[in-house]
Every structure is written in structure tokens, then in C-alpha cells.
Amino acid sequence: MSVDPILTLEPLVEAIQAGVEAVGWELSGMQKTTSHQFEGRWEGESTRSAYVFFHPVDGPDWASVDVYLDETGQGLSGNLALVVDIAPLARLGSTETVLASLSEASRRHLPQRYRRPVTLRYRLADAADDVGSAETEVRFKLGLPRRIIEAGPPSVTDFASEVVRAFGELLRSPEVSAHALADEDARPQWEGLE
């Protein structure tokens, strides 16, 4: 049986959503945008984008899966990211050590056949605040390969499920747990979540 490739944003969103929800995460938000006014090499082009957010049904509120999808004249593209709020900067220690630890967890749990960027972000609510109080976030990301989009909705759904299962393992890793927020009572158990 032949499956048609995905050519527009909406069926791509639906295929991703089906895959993420199949492994125990639920849709918590979506935003679609259309951009028309470009200059330079993109003049005359338009793009449509979707930002789709998921949270684990019975999991912590300090983790989400954020999906970015883009439709341009060159085709569809996108990525999936596991976003985890971790301890404030003062509790983390050396940035190099933390990033090395989180990168090791990513290498161990995410599929090796894809690029796996890791981003560590610090945020101060105000420039006058104590630097040690900076909120910290880590993003583990995987790009959505064009060949998977071209293979059709079932391939995209399978890819999304595989990636989010791996994200669940990453959340349970000792490296992520070591840097997690301190309030143990606020963190539900992960038993049974794929």
C-alpha cells in the first residue's frame, strides 16, 4: 500500500500529535503563524509555522515536549525538543560539568542516527537579581528528517513516538535527576510512563 507524502503543515501537526499522545503525553497548547513580509533572499516568500506543546499526563510540570514545524516554499521541516526546568544556577555548579553530564545522557538515550543538540539556558527575572537565582532550562533536541516527512504520516507518527519514548528515558536518567528541581514532593512518580 502506497502512502502519500505530507505536503502541508496541518497533516504534519496531526501526525506528530498522534505519535506524542500515543506514548502518554497530552497536547497542552498550539500556536500557528503565517509570515509574508520578507526582504532580501526571502522576498516574496511566505512561511507557515506551528508551535505545539505537550506535557506528560501523569508526569512533572517541569518538563514538556515542544515541537516546532515550518512550511516554506522549500518544503516542510521541524524539530522536537524535550524542555526541562532544572535547579537554579547557584545549585548547578560548573556549567561545563553540567553540560557534559547532560550531553552524556543525551548520547546514551536519544537515537544516535540523528543529530542531538543540547542547549543550556539561564534566565534572570531582572538584571538586578542575584545571579545565583537564575532559572535554568535544558533543551534536548532532535530534528525531523525530511525523508521521514516524505514517507508519509505513519512514518512521522512512528518517529514522534520513538523520540518521545527516548525523552521519557532521558527524564529518568541520573544526570537529569541530579539537576532536577529540589522540591521532591512536587515531582510525581514516572512509573508506567513510556
Side-chain angles (χ1 to χ4, degrees):
M1 177 173 88
S2 173
V3 177
D4 291 332
I6 299 174
L7 301 175
T8 59
L9 193 61
E10 286 72 19
L12 182 58
V13 169
E14 290 171 9
I16 290 283
Q17 183 175 349
V20 175
E21 289 178 343
V23 293
W25 293 66
E26 64 186 352
L27 181 68
S28 54
M30 182 183 326
Q31 175 185 345
K32 291 183 184 176
T33 62
T34 302
S35 302
H36 296 287
Q37 295 183 327
F38 294 102
E39 295 185 18
R41 77 178 243 210
W42 297 106
E43 190 170 353
E45 291 284 325
S46 69
T47 65
R48 295 186 330 128
S49 301
Y51 301 88
V52 191
F53 308 97
F54 299 89
H55 285 82
V57 174
D58 294 319
D61 60 4
W62 42 264
S64 67
V65 170
D66 295 4
V67 179
Y68 172 74
L69 303 170
D70 203 26
E71 176 187 324
T72 69
Q74 285 73 46
L76 295 165
S77 62
N79 63 66
L80 289 80
L82 173 64
V83 181
V84 182
D85 293 326
I86 57 177
L89 180 58
R91 271 197 40 223
L92 287 181
S94 158
T95 299
E96 286 182 14
T97 302
V98 172
L99 190 55
S101 170
L102 295 170
S103 296
E104 172 56 32
S106 179
R107 278 192 301 274
R108 201 171 58 253
H109 293 289
L110 299 184
Q112 295 180 15
R113 60 190 175 280
Y114 308 113
R115 290 192 56 211
R116 301 158 290 176
V118 179
T119 304
L120 195 56
R121 293 182 177 177
Y122 303 116
R123 272 186 311 269
L124 276 177
D126 185 84
D129 291 348
D130 174 51
V131 172
S133 71
E135 295 174 349
T136 309
E137 170 190 279
V138 62
R139 287 180 173 260
F140 302 96
K141 193 179 288 188
L142 274 169
L144 176 57
R146 192 172 297 255
R147 64 180 166 69
I148 288 176
I149 297 170
E150 291 169 354
S155 293
V156 171
T157 297
D158 290 347
F159 173 83
S161 291
E162 175 191 14
V163 169
V164 175
R165 269 191 209 96
F167 283 166
E169 291 300 316
L170 191 51
L171 275 174
R172 289 186 282 276
S173 73
E175 293 88 350
V176 173
S177 295
H179 303 299
L181 297 173
D183 186 5
E184 293 294 327
D185 296 331
R187 284 194 263 150
Q189 295 299 310
W190 280 90
E191 302 306 319
L193 183 63
E194 291 191 50

